[in-house]
Amino acid sequence: MKKILLLLTSFMLTAFSYSQYDWTKATVYLKNGEQLVGEGDLRMQNAGISIGNKDILNFRKTRKDKKKKFDPEEIDSIRFTITYTIRKNRKRIEKTRQETYIPVYFNLKRNKMGFVQLIVDGNMKLVGRTVSVQNGAMYGSGVNAGIGLNTTPTVFFYPSNHNELMFLKDNQEPEVFNRASLTKSFRKRAMKYFEGCSSLVKKINSKAFKKEDLIKIAEYYNAHCGN
């Protein structure tokens, strides 16, 4: 019976989460002011799954060290240093870039929490997240979940490749804007969301800003309406 329970627990953990980053170089900034340098493995919930109600960060200083789990509530931010390769003049060139993840609440009840990539910072944040459906497959853009691996993959994220891109205001739920709504067009939804910023609403209404311009929209809001 004990073996069956262990197997069932292992299956549930596999089915309901996947690794956004698999042991990637990371600096973790904790709420208590402590700073940890080592490797991080970010475990993300599948889309629509509420079991556990939060993502988890596994951290270790080196491969030889025992991993330690951190809940989103304990973390201020995580800075991943990602190694990848590009081809130039028939040569493979190794490069690095950094991505910052922050914890956010996904509902007003503040009982569902997870990590998102910080793409645009300010009073209006643009954040991104790649989630999978219950069978573990990626939905939306079909992006490989295994990016950020220390094995220097050639496939890596750009903000537009996240299948959830969200605007985030203080004390509000993040609102996904890169997927189509069944009831309203992007233009109508965005005009309603930014109704307090008349100049931005005009640009959205005239289609000067479209769904592909989420970064520009967030930057415009922070420059002209975010004070």
Coordinates of all heavy atoms in Angstrom, one line a residue, residues 95-171:
K95 N 26.5 32.2 -26.1 CA 26.1 33.5 -25.6 C 25.3 33.3 -24.3 O 24.8 32.2 -24.0 CB 25.3 34.4 -26.6 CG 26.0 34.5 -27.9 CD 25.2 35.6 -28.8 CE 25.6 37.0 -28.3 NZ 25.0 38.0 -29.2
T96 N 25.1 34.4 -23.5 CA 24.3 34.3 -22.3 C 23.4 35.5 -22.3 O 23.6 36.5 -22.9 CB 25.2 34.3 -21.0 OG1 25.9 35.5 -21.0 CG2 26.1 33.1 -21.0
R97 N 22.3 35.3 -21.6 CA 21.4 36.4 -21.3 C 20.8 36.2 -19.9 O 20.8 35.1 -19.4 CB 20.3 36.5 -22.4 CG 19.2 35.5 -22.2 CD 18.2 35.6 -23.3 NE 17.1 34.7 -23.1 CZ 17.1 33.4 -23.3 NH1 18.1 32.8 -23.7 NH2 16.0 32.7 -23.0
Q98 N 20.1 37.2 -19.4 CA 19.5 37.1 -18.1 C 18.0 37.4 -18.2 O 17.6 38.2 -18.9 CB 20.2 38.1 -17.1 CG 21.6 37.7 -16.8 CD 22.2 38.6 -15.7 OE1 21.8 39.8 -15.5 NE2 23.2 38.1 -15.0
E99 N 17.3 36.6 -17.4 CA 15.8 36.8 -17.3 C 15.5 36.9 -15.8 O 16.0 36.1 -15.0 CB 15.1 35.6 -17.9 CG 15.2 35.6 -19.4 CD 14.4 34.5 -20.1 OE1 13.8 33.7 -19.4 OE2 14.4 34.4 -21.3
T100 N 14.6 37.8 -15.5 CA 14.2 38.0 -14.1 C 12.7 37.5 -13.9 O 11.9 37.8 -14.7 CB 14.2 39.5 -13.7 OG1 15.6 39.9 -13.8 CG2 13.7 39.7 -12.3
Y101 N 12.5 36.7 -12.9 CA 11.2 36.2 -12.5 C 10.8 36.7 -11.2 O 11.6 36.8 -10.3 CB 11.2 34.6 -12.5 CG 11.0 34.0 -13.9 CD1 11.9 34.1 -14.9 CD2 9.8 33.4 -14.2 CE1 11.7 33.6 -16.1 CE2 9.5 32.9 -15.5 CZ 10.5 33.0 -16.4 OH 10.3 32.4 -17.7
I102 N 9.5 37.0 -11.1 CA 9.0 37.5 -9.8 C 7.7 36.7 -9.4 O 7.1 36.2 -10.3 CB 8.6 39.0 -9.9 CG1 7.6 39.3 -11.0 CG2 9.9 39.9 -10.1 CD1 7.0 40.7 -11.1
P103 N 7.4 36.7 -8.1 CA 6.2 36.0 -7.7 C 5.0 36.9 -7.8 O 5.1 38.1 -7.5 CB 6.5 35.6 -6.3 CG 7.4 36.7 -5.8 CD 8.2 37.1 -7.0
V104 N 3.9 36.4 -8.2 CA 2.6 37.2 -8.3 C 1.4 36.3 -7.8 O 1.5 35.1 -7.9 CB 2.3 37.7 -9.7 CG1 3.4 38.6 -10.2 CG2 2.1 36.6 -10.7
Y105 N 0.4 37.0 -7.3 CA -0.9 36.3 -7.1 C -1.7 36.3 -8.3 O -1.8 37.3 -9.0 CB -1.6 37.0 -5.9 CG -1.0 36.8 -4.6 CD1 -0.2 37.7 -4.0 CD2 -1.2 35.6 -3.9 CE1 0.3 37.5 -2.7 CE2 -0.7 35.4 -2.6 CZ 0.1 36.3 -2.1 OH 0.7 36.1 -0.8
F106 N -2.3 35.2 -8.7 CA -3.1 35.1 -9.9 C -4.6 35.3 -9.7 O -5.4 35.4 -10.6 CB -2.9 33.7 -10.5 CG -1.5 33.5 -11.1 CD1 -0.7 32.5 -10.5 CD2 -1.0 34.3 -12.1 CE1 0.6 32.3 -11.0 CE2 0.2 34.1 -12.6 CZ 1.0 33.1 -12.0
N107 N -5.0 35.6 -8.4 CA -6.4 35.9 -8.1 C -6.5 36.8 -6.9 O -5.5 37.0 -6.2 CB -7.2 34.6 -7.9 CG -6.6 33.8 -6.7 OD1 -5.7 34.2 -6.1 ND2 -7.2 32.6 -6.4
L108 N -7.6 37.5 -6.8 CA -7.8 38.5 -5.8 C -7.9 37.8 -4.4 O -7.6 38.5 -3.4 CB -9.1 39.3 -6.1 CG -9.1 40.2 -7.3 CD1 -10.4 40.9 -7.5 CD2 -7.9 41.2 -7.2
K109 N -8.3 36.5 -4.3 CA -8.3 35.8 -3.0 C -6.9 35.6 -2.5 O -6.7 35.3 -1.3 CB -9.0 34.5 -3.2 CG -10.5 34.6 -3.4 CD -11.2 33.3 -3.5 CE -12.7 33.4 -3.8 NZ -13.3 32.0 -3.9
R110 N -5.9 35.8 -3.4 CA -4.5 35.6 -3.0 C -4.2 34.2 -2.4 O -3.4 34.1 -1.5 CB -4.1 36.7 -2.0 CG -4.2 38.1 -2.6 CD -4.0 39.2 -1.5 NE -2.6 39.3 -1.2 CZ -1.7 40.1 -1.9 NH1 -2.2 40.7 -3.0 NH2 -0.5 40.2 -1.6
N111 N -4.8 33.2 -3.1 CA -4.5 31.8 -2.7 C -4.0 31.0 -3.8 O -3.8 29.8 -3.7 CB -5.8 31.2 -2.1 CG -6.9 31.1 -3.1 OD1 -6.8 31.5 -4.2 ND2 -8.1 30.7 -2.6
K112 N -3.7 31.6 -4.9 CA -3.1 31.0 -6.1 C -1.9 31.8 -6.5 O -2.1 33.0 -6.9 CB -4.1 30.8 -7.2 CG -3.5 30.0 -8.4 CD -4.6 29.7 -9.4 CE -4.0 29.0 -10.6 NZ -3.4 27.7 -10.3
M113 N -0.7 31.3 -6.4 CA 0.5 32.1 -6.6 C 1.5 31.4 -7.5 O 1.6 30.1 -7.5 CB 1.2 32.4 -5.2 CG 2.1 33.5 -5.2 SD 2.8 33.9 -3.6 CE 3.6 35.4 -3.8
G114 N 2.3 32.1 -8.2 CA 3.3 31.5 -9.1 C 4.3 32.6 -9.6 O 4.3 33.7 -9.2
F115 N 5.2 32.1 -10.5 CA 6.3 33.0 -11.0 C 6.0 33.4 -12.4 O 5.4 32.6 -13.2 CB 7.6 32.2 -10.9 CG 8.1 31.9 -9.5 CD1 7.9 30.6 -9.0 CD2 8.7 32.9 -8.8 CE1 8.4 30.4 -7.7 CE2 9.1 32.6 -7.5 CZ 9.0 31.4 -7.0
V116 N 6.4 34.6 -12.7 CA 6.3 35.1 -14.1 C 7.6 35.8 -14.5 O 8.3 36.4 -13.6 CB 5.1 36.1 -14.2 CG1 3.7 35.4 -14.1 CG2 5.2 37.3 -13.2
Q117 N 7.9 35.9 -15.7 CA 9.0 36.6 -16.2 C 8.7 38.1 -16.3 O 7.6 38.5 -16.8 CB 9.5 36.2 -17.6 CG 10.7 36.9 -18.0 CD 11.1 36.7 -19.5 OE1 10.5 35.8 -20.1 NE2 12.0 37.4 -20.0
L118 N 9.5 38.9 -15.7 CA 9.3 40.4 -15.7 C 9.9 40.9 -17.1 O 11.1 40.9 -17.3 CB 10.0 41.1 -14.6 CG 9.8 42.6 -14.4 CD1 8.4 43.0 -14.3 CD2 10.7 43.1 -13.3
I119 N 9.0 41.4 -18.0 CA 9.4 41.8 -19.3 C 9.5 43.3 -19.3 O 10.5 43.9 -19.8 CB 8.4 41.3 -20.4 CG1 8.4 39.8 -20.4 CG2 8.8 41.8 -21.7 CD1 7.2 39.2 -21.1
V120 N 8.5 44.0 -18.8 CA 8.5 45.5 -18.6 C 8.2 45.8 -17.2 O 7.2 45.3 -16.7 CB 7.5 46.2 -19.6 CG1 7.5 47.7 -19.3 CG2 7.8 45.9 -21.0
D121 N 9.0 46.6 -16.5 CA 8.8 47.0 -15.2 C 8.2 48.4 -15.1 O 8.4 49.2 -16.0 CB 10.1 46.9 -14.4 CG 9.9 46.8 -12.9 OD1 8.7 46.7 -12.4 OD2 10.9 46.8 -12.1
G122 N 7.5 48.7 -14.0 CA 7.0 50.0 -13.8 C 5.6 49.9 -13.1 O 5.3 48.9 -12.6
N123 N 4.9 51.0 -13.1 CA 3.6 51.0 -12.5 C 2.7 50.0 -13.2 O 1.8 49.4 -12.7 CB 2.9 52.4 -12.5 CG 3.6 53.3 -11.5 OD1 4.1 52.9 -10.5 ND2 3.7 54.6 -11.9
M124 N 2.9 49.9 -14.5 CA 2.2 48.9 -15.3 C 3.3 47.9 -15.7 O 4.3 48.2 -16.4 CB 1.6 49.5 -16.6 CG 1.0 48.4 -17.5 SD -0.3 47.5 -16.8 CE -1.5 48.8 -16.6
K125 N 3.2 46.6 -15.3 CA 4.1 45.6 -15.6 C 3.6 44.8 -16.8 O 2.4 44.5 -16.8 CB 4.4 44.7 -14.4 CG 5.2 45.4 -13.3 CD 5.4 44.5 -12.1 CE 6.3 45.1 -11.1 NZ 5.8 46.3 -10.5
L126 N 4.5 44.3 -17.6 CA 4.2 43.3 -18.6 C 5.0 42.0 -18.1 O 6.2 42.1 -18.0 CB 4.6 43.7 -20.0 CG 4.3 42.6 -21.1 CD1 2.8 42.3 -21.2 CD2 4.9 43.0 -22.4
V127 N 4.3 40.9 -17.9 CA 4.9 39.7 -17.4 C 4.5 38.6 -18.3 O 3.5 38.6 -19.0 CB 4.5 39.4 -16.0 CG1 5.0 40.5 -15.0 CG2 3.0 39.2 -15.8
G128 N 5.3 37.6 -18.4 CA 5.1 36.4 -19.2 C 5.3 35.1 -18.5 O 6.0 35.0 -17.5
R129 N 4.6 34.1 -19.0 CA 4.6 32.8 -18.4 C 4.3 31.7 -19.4 O 3.4 31.9 -20.3 CB 3.5 32.8 -17.3 CG 3.3 31.5 -16.5 CD 2.3 31.8 -15.4 NE 1.8 30.6 -14.8 CZ 2.4 30.0 -13.8 NH1 3.5 30.5 -13.3 NH2 1.9 28.9 -13.2
T130 N 5.0 30.7 -19.4 CA 4.7 29.6 -20.3 C 4.2 28.4 -19.5 O 4.9 27.9 -18.7 CB 6.0 29.1 -21.1 OG1 6.4 30.3 -21.9 CG2 5.6 28.0 -22.1
V131 N 3.0 28.0 -19.8 CA 2.3 26.9 -19.0 C 2.0 25.8 -20.0 O 2.0 26.0 -21.2 CB 1.1 27.4 -18.3 CG1 1.4 28.4 -17.2 CG2 0.1 28.0 -19.3
S132 N 1.8 24.6 -19.4 CA 1.4 23.5 -20.2 C 0.0 23.0 -19.8 O -0.5 23.3 -18.8 CB 2.4 22.3 -20.1 OG 2.4 21.9 -18.7
V133 N -0.6 22.2 -20.7 CA -1.9 21.6 -20.4 C -1.6 20.4 -19.6 O -0.5 20.0 -19.3 CB -2.6 21.3 -21.7 CG1 -3.0 22.5 -22.5 CG2 -1.8 20.4 -22.6
Q134 N -2.7 19.7 -19.2 CA -2.6 18.7 -18.2 C -1.8 17.5 -18.7 O -1.2 16.7 -17.9 CB -4.0 18.2 -17.8 CG -4.7 19.3 -17.0 CD -6.0 18.8 -16.5 OE1 -6.3 17.6 -16.3 NE2 -7.0 19.7 -16.2
N135 N -1.7 17.3 -20.0 CA -0.9 16.1 -20.5 C 0.6 16.5 -20.6 O 1.3 15.7 -21.1 CB -1.5 15.6 -21.8 CG -1.4 16.6 -22.9 OD1 -0.8 17.7 -22.7 ND2 -2.0 16.3 -24.0
G136 N 1.0 17.7 -20.2 CA 2.3 18.1 -20.3 C 2.7 18.8 -21.5 O 3.9 19.3 -21.7
A137 N 1.9 18.8 -22.5 CA 2.2 19.5 -23.8 C 2.1 21.0 -23.7 O 1.3 21.5 -22.9 CB 1.3 19.0 -24.9
M138 N 2.9 21.7 -24.4 CA 2.8 23.1 -24.4 C 1.6 23.6 -25.3 O 1.3 23.0 -26.3 CB 4.0 23.8 -25.0 CG 5.3 23.3 -24.3 SD 5.3 23.4 -22.6 CE 5.3 25.2 -22.4
Y139 N 0.8 24.6 -24.9 CA -0.2 25.1 -25.7 C 0.1 26.5 -26.1 O 0.9 27.2 -25.5 CB -1.6 25.0 -25.0 CG -1.8 26.0 -24.0 CD1 -2.3 27.3 -24.3 CD2 -1.6 25.8 -22.6 CE1 -2.5 28.3 -23.3 CE2 -1.8 26.7 -21.7 CZ -2.3 27.9 -22.0 OH -2.5 28.9 -21.0
G140 N -0.5 26.9 -27.2 CA -0.3 28.3 -27.7 C 0.8 28.3 -28.7 O 0.5 28.0 -29.9
S141 N 2.0 28.7 -28.4 CA 3.1 28.8 -29.4 C 3.9 27.6 -29.6 O 4.8 27.6 -30.5 CB 4.0 30.0 -29.0 OG 4.6 29.7 -27.7
G142 N 3.7 26.5 -28.8 CA 4.5 25.3 -29.0 C 5.9 25.5 -28.6 O 6.8 24.8 -29.1
V143 N 6.2 26.3 -27.6 CA 7.6 26.6 -27.2 C 8.1 25.4 -26.4 O 7.4 24.8 -25.6 CB 7.7 27.9 -26.4 CG1 9.1 28.1 -25.9 CG2 7.2 29.1 -27.2
N144 N 9.4 25.1 -26.6 CA 10.0 24.1 -25.8 C 10.1 24.5 -24.3 O 10.7 25.5 -24.0 CB 11.4 23.8 -26.4 CG 12.2 22.8 -25.7 OD1 11.6 22.1 -24.8 ND2 13.4 22.5 -26.1
A145 N 9.6 23.6 -23.4 CA 9.7 23.9 -22.0 C 11.1 23.9 -21.4 O 11.3 24.4 -20.4 CB 8.7 23.0 -21.2
G146 N 12.0 23.2 -22.1 CA 13.3 23.0 -21.6 C 14.3 24.1 -21.9 O 15.5 23.8 -22.0
I147 N 13.9 25.3 -22.0 CA 14.9 26.3 -22.3 C 15.6 26.7 -21.0 O 15.1 26.5 -19.9 CB 14.2 27.6 -22.9 CG1 13.7 28.4 -21.8 CG2 13.1 27.3 -23.9 CD1 14.1 29.8 -22.0
G148 N 16.7 27.3 -21.2 CA 17.5 27.7 -20.1 C 18.4 26.6 -19.5 O 19.0 26.7 -18.5
L149 N 18.4 25.5 -20.2 CA 19.2 24.4 -19.8 C 20.7 24.7 -19.9 O 21.1 25.4 -20.8 CB 18.9 23.1 -20.6 CG 17.5 22.6 -20.7 CD1 17.3 21.4 -21.6 CD2 17.0 22.3 -19.3
N150 N 21.5 24.2 -19.0 CA 22.9 24.4 -19.1 C 23.6 23.7 -20.2 O 24.8 23.8 -20.4 CB 23.6 24.0 -17.7 CG 23.2 25.0 -16.6 OD1 23.0 26.2 -16.9 ND2 23.0 24.5 -15.4
T151 N 22.8 22.9 -21.0 CA 23.3 22.2 -22.1 C 23.3 23.0 -23.4 O 23.5 22.6 -24.5 CB 22.5 20.9 -22.4 OG1 21.1 21.3 -22.5 CG2 22.7 19.9 -21.3
T152 N 23.2 24.3 -23.2 CA 23.2 25.3 -24.3 C 22.3 25.0 -25.4 O 22.8 24.7 -26.5 CB 24.6 25.6 -24.8 OG1 25.1 24.4 -25.4 CG2 25.6 26.0 -23.7
P153 N 21.0 25.0 -25.3 CA 20.1 24.7 -26.3 C 20.1 25.9 -27.3 O 20.4 27.0 -27.0 CB 18.7 24.6 -25.6 CG 18.9 25.5 -24.5 CD 20.3 25.4 -24.0
T154 N 19.7 25.5 -28.6 CA 19.6 26.6 -29.6 C 18.2 27.2 -29.6 O 18.0 28.2 -30.3 CB 19.9 26.0 -31.0 OG1 19.1 24.9 -31.2 CG2 21.4 25.6 -31.0
V155 N 17.2 26.6 -28.9 CA 15.9 27.2 -28.8 C 15.8 27.9 -27.5 O 16.1 27.4 -26.5 CB 14.8 26.1 -28.9 CG1 13.4 26.7 -28.8 CG2 15.0 25.3 -30.2
F156 N 15.3 29.2 -27.6 CA 15.2 29.9 -26.3 C 14.0 30.9 -26.4 O 13.6 31.3 -27.5 CB 16.5 30.7 -25.9 CG 17.1 31.5 -27.0 CD1 16.7 32.8 -27.1 CD2 17.9 31.0 -28.0 CE1 17.2 33.6 -28.1 CE2 18.5 31.8 -29.0 CZ 18.1 33.1 -29.1
F157 N 13.6 31.4 -25.3 CA 12.4 32.3 -25.2 C 12.7 33.7 -25.7 O 13.7 34.3 -25.4 CB 11.9 32.4 -23.8 CG 11.1 31.3 -23.3 CD1 11.4 30.6 -22.1 CD2 10.0 30.8 -24.1 CE1 10.6 29.6 -21.7 CE2 9.2 29.8 -23.6 CZ 9.5 29.2 -22.4
Y158 N 11.7 34.2 -26.4 CA 11.6 35.7 -26.5 C 10.2 36.0 -25.8 O 9.4 35.1 -25.6 CB 11.5 36.1 -27.9 CG 12.9 36.1 -28.6 CD1 13.2 35.2 -29.5 CD2 13.8 37.1 -28.3 CE1 14.4 35.2 -30.1 CE2 15.1 37.1 -28.9 CZ 15.4 36.1 -29.8 OH 16.6 36.1 -30.4
P159 N 10.0 37.2 -25.3 CA 8.8 37.5 -24.6 C 7.5 37.1 -25.4 O 6.6 36.6 -24.8 CB 8.8 39.0 -24.4 CG 10.3 39.3 -24.3 CD 10.9 38.3 -25.3
S160 N 7.5 37.2 -26.7 CA 6.4 36.9 -27.5 C 6.1 35.4 -27.6 O 5.0 35.0 -28.0 CB 6.5 37.4 -29.0 OG 7.7 36.8 -29.6
N161 N 7.1 34.6 -27.2 CA 6.9 33.1 -27.2 C 6.2 32.6 -26.0 O 5.8 31.4 -26.0 CB 8.2 32.4 -27.4 CG 8.8 32.5 -28.8 OD1 8.0 32.8 -29.7 ND2 10.1 32.4 -28.9
H162 N 6.1 33.4 -24.9 CA 5.3 32.9 -23.8 C 3.8 32.7 -24.2 O 3.3 33.6 -25.0 CB 5.3 33.9 -22.7 CG 6.6 33.9 -21.9 ND1 7.0 32.8 -21.2 CD2 7.5 34.8 -21.6 CE1 8.2 33.0 -20.6 NE2 8.5 34.3 -20.9
N163 N 3.2 31.7 -23.8 CA 1.8 31.5 -24.2 C 0.8 32.2 -23.2 O -0.4 32.2 -23.4 CB 1.4 30.0 -24.3 CG 1.8 29.2 -23.2 OD1 1.8 29.7 -22.0 ND2 2.0 27.9 -23.4
E164 N 1.4 32.9 -22.2 CA 0.6 33.8 -21.4 C 1.4 35.1 -21.2 O 2.4 35.1 -20.5 CB 0.2 33.2 -20.0 CG -0.8 32.1 -20.1 CD -1.3 31.7 -18.7 OE1 -0.7 32.1 -17.7 OE2 -2.3 30.9 -18.7
L165 N 0.9 36.2 -21.8 CA 1.5 37.5 -21.6 C 0.5 38.3 -20.9 O -0.7 38.5 -21.4 CB 1.9 38.2 -22.9 CG 3.1 37.6 -23.6 CD1 3.3 38.2 -25.0 CD2 4.4 37.8 -22.8
M166 N 0.8 38.9 -19.8 CA -0.2 39.6 -18.9 C 0.3 41.0 -18.5 O 1.4 41.2 -18.3 CB -0.3 38.7 -17.6 CG -0.8 37.3 -17.9 SD -0.7 36.3 -16.4 CE 1.0 35.7 -16.6
F167 N -0.7 41.9 -18.5 CA -0.5 43.2 -17.8 C -0.8 43.0 -16.4 O -1.7 42.3 -16.0 CB -1.4 44.2 -18.4 CG -1.0 44.6 -19.8 CD1 -1.9 44.5 -20.9 CD2 0.2 45.2 -20.1 CE1 -1.6 44.9 -22.2 CE2 0.6 45.5 -21.4 CZ -0.3 45.4 -22.4
L168 N 0.0 43.8 -15.5 CA -0.2 43.6 -14.1 C -0.1 45.0 -13.4 O 0.9 45.7 -13.6 CB 0.9 42.7 -13.6 CG 1.1 42.6 -12.0 CD1 -0.2 42.0 -11.5 CD2 2.3 41.7 -11.7
K169 N -1.2 45.4 -12.8 CA -1.2 46.6 -12.0 C -1.2 46.2 -10.5 O -1.6 45.0 -10.2 CB -2.5 47.4 -12.2 CG -2.7 47.9 -13.6 CD -4.0 48.6 -13.7 CE -4.3 49.2 -15.1 NZ -5.6 49.8 -15.2
D170 N -0.8 47.1 -9.6 CA -0.8 46.8 -8.2 C -2.1 46.4 -7.7 O -3.2 47.0 -8.0 CB -0.3 48.0 -7.4 CG 1.2 48.2 -7.7 OD1 1.9 47.3 -8.1 OD2 1.7 49.4 -7.4
N171 N -2.2 45.4 -6.8 CA -3.4 44.9 -6.2 C -4.5 44.5 -7.1 O -5.7 44.5 -6.8 CB -3.9 46.0 -5.3 CG -2.9 46.4 -4.2 OD1 -2.3 45.6 -3.6 ND2 -2.8 47.7 -4.0

